[in-house]
């Protein structure tokens, strides 16, 4: 391999990896808040799928900007359902999440088929790319960091704000207190129900937004099952990232780069069986779980809470 080929390979893989990072990162950030408050949301996969479908349909008829709004709103609605079931009614969080995962996938299929006939493959306008002069010309990292979709810069802002809120504000302290010891938090005047409900709704909103990032932002189209396990991978990334936004950013980026690498290798025909290459991102997920085996989860994660008990 020549030096020019290696540089071109690294440049392409990093730039593609950043784009592939975004949907998983956005979904994982929402899940960080939900789990920090003590609620496990296994419905991310379905929320992303529904967000991808409703966001695409909305973008097709009204414009890509409204697609983001629709995905976020319907994701928040599904988050509200999960909050009602798991926080207010104290339904088992695993059962509630899995039910919503299946519901979201069904709603996605129903929504898409209500507007488009089988065999149709409509496309929409994606989101604009922003090239930062001079910085985008830096070898290898320039195109990856400074010549990206506006969604990339929006996501970085969200990561920074999410980290500041969670670790530098009273709101974040309350969220972490509710997730660690809800009875003590309630005794201090913190509303456990209110905090958990808000965090789960936010998690749903981010999952719906992540679906739009995938369908409209990356593919400019929608097809059934396009989320393809990314919601489950987001859950793994949260554990790997130890429930911290900046560590979740790192984990998501690593997954995105692995996915981009296997796609590039397939395209260039290196002679490696494509079945193995398709497995690479999921093998990476297993490695993530192995690396995160000592991660300490919020003490009250998954445990229902009833005031006065």
């Amino acid at each position: 391999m020549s030096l020019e080929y290696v540089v071109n390979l690294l440049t392409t893989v990093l730039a593609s990896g950043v784009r592939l990072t975004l949907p998983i990162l956005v979904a994982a950030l929402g899940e960080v808040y939900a789990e920090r408050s003590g609620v496990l949301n296994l419905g991310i996969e379905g929320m992303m799928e529904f967000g991808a479908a409703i966001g695409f349909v909305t973008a097709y008829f009204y414009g890509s900007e409204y697609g983001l709004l629709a995905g976020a709103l319907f994701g928040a609605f599904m988050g509200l359902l999960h909050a009602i079931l798991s926080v207010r009614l104290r339904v088992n969080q695993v059962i509630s999440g899995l039910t919503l995962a299946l519901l979201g996938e069904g709603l996605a299929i129903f929504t898409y088929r209500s507007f488009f006939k089988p065999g149709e493959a409509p496309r929409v306008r994606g989101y604009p790319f922003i090239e930062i002069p001079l910085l985008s010309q830096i070898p290898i990292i320039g195109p990856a960091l400074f010549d990206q979709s506006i969604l990339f810069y929006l996501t970085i802002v969200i990561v920074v704000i999410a980290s500041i809120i969670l670790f530098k504000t009273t709101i974040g302290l309350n969220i972490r207190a509710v997730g660690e010891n809800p009875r003590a938090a309630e005794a201090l005047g913190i509303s456990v129900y209110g905090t958990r409900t808000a965090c789960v709704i936010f998690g749903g909103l981010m999952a719906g937004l992540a679906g739009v990032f995938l369908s409209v932002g990356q593919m400019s189209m929608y097809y059934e099952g396009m989320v393809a396990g990314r919601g489950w991978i987001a859950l793994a990334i949260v554990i790997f990232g130890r429930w911290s936004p900046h560590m979740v950013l790192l984990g998501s980026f690593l997954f995105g780069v692995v996915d981009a690498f296997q796609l590039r290798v397939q395209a260039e025909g290196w002679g490696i069986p494509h079945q193995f290459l398709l497995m690479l991102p999921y093998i990476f997920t297993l490695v993530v779980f192995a690396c995160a085996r000592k991660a300490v989860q919020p003490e009250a994660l998954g445990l229902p809470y009833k005031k006065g008990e």
Side-chain angles (χ1 to χ4, degrees), residues 251-303:
S252 301
F253 174 70
L254 291 175
F255 178 87
V257 169
V258 172
D259 200 11
F261 175 75
Q262 68 91 8
L263 289 172
R264 179 62 186 264
V265 170
Q266 283 192 67
E268 295 199 355
W270 283 15
I272 302 175
H274 73 277
Q275 295 90 342
F276 174 77
L277 293 173
L278 289 172
M279 288 192 303
L280 277 181
Y282 304 98
I283 292 174
F284 172 77
T285 304
L286 292 176
V287 174
V288 163
F289 269 121
C291 294
R293 64 186 184 278
K294 295 183 179 179
V296 180
Q297 68 181 34
E299 191 70 25
L301 178 60
L303 301 178

Side-chain angles (χ1 to χ4, degrees), residues 17-33 44 48 151-160 162 202-203 206-207 209-211 213-214 218 230-231 233-235 237-238 241 244-256:
V18 168
R19 288 191 287 273
L20 292 171
T21 292
L22 299 184
I24 294 174
L25 173 57
V26 172
L29 284 173
E31 182 63 9
V32 166
Y33 270 72
I44 294 180
M48 287 182 67
L151 298 181
F152 167 73
Y153 303 105
L154 174 63
T155 302
I156 295 302
V157 171
I158 292 175
V159 171
V160 173
F202 175 70
M206 294 292 280
L209 203 59
F213 276 34
L214 182 61
Q218 278 189 18
R230 289 177 175 85
I233 291 166
L235 286 165
I237 295 298
V238 171
S244 172
H246 61 276
M247 287 298 294
V248 163
L249 169 62
L250 174 61
S252 301
F253 174 70
L254 291 175
F255 178 87

Side-chain angles (χ1 to χ4, degrees), residues 27-28 31-32 48 52 63 82-83 88 92 96 161 178 185 278 302:
E31 182 63 9
V32 166
M48 287 182 67
H82 186 46
R88 298 289 175 172
N92 183 285
S96 173
I161 294 175
V178 167
L278 289 172

Side-chain angles (χ1 to χ4, degrees), residues 173-248:
L173 180 61
N174 291 348
I175 292 171
R176 289 182 282 128
V178 167
E180 294 292 341
N181 193 329
R183 287 169 179 78
E186 192 78 58
L188 293 173
I190 303 170
S191 172
V192 175
Y193 289 156
T195 301
R196 287 187 169 183
T197 298
C199 288
V200 175
I201 291 174
F202 175 70
L205 182 151
M206 294 292 280
L209 203 59
V212 185
F213 276 34
L214 182 61
S215 62
V216 181
Q218 278 189 18
M219 307 291 193
S220 296
M221 63 180 296
Y222 174 80
Y223 56 87
E224 296 174 11
M226 74 181 311
V227 175
R230 289 177 175 85
W232 305 112
I233 291 166
L235 286 165
I237 295 298
V238 171
I239 299 172
F240 171 81
R242 289 170 167 75
W243 297 271
S244 172
H246 61 276
M247 287 298 294
V248 163

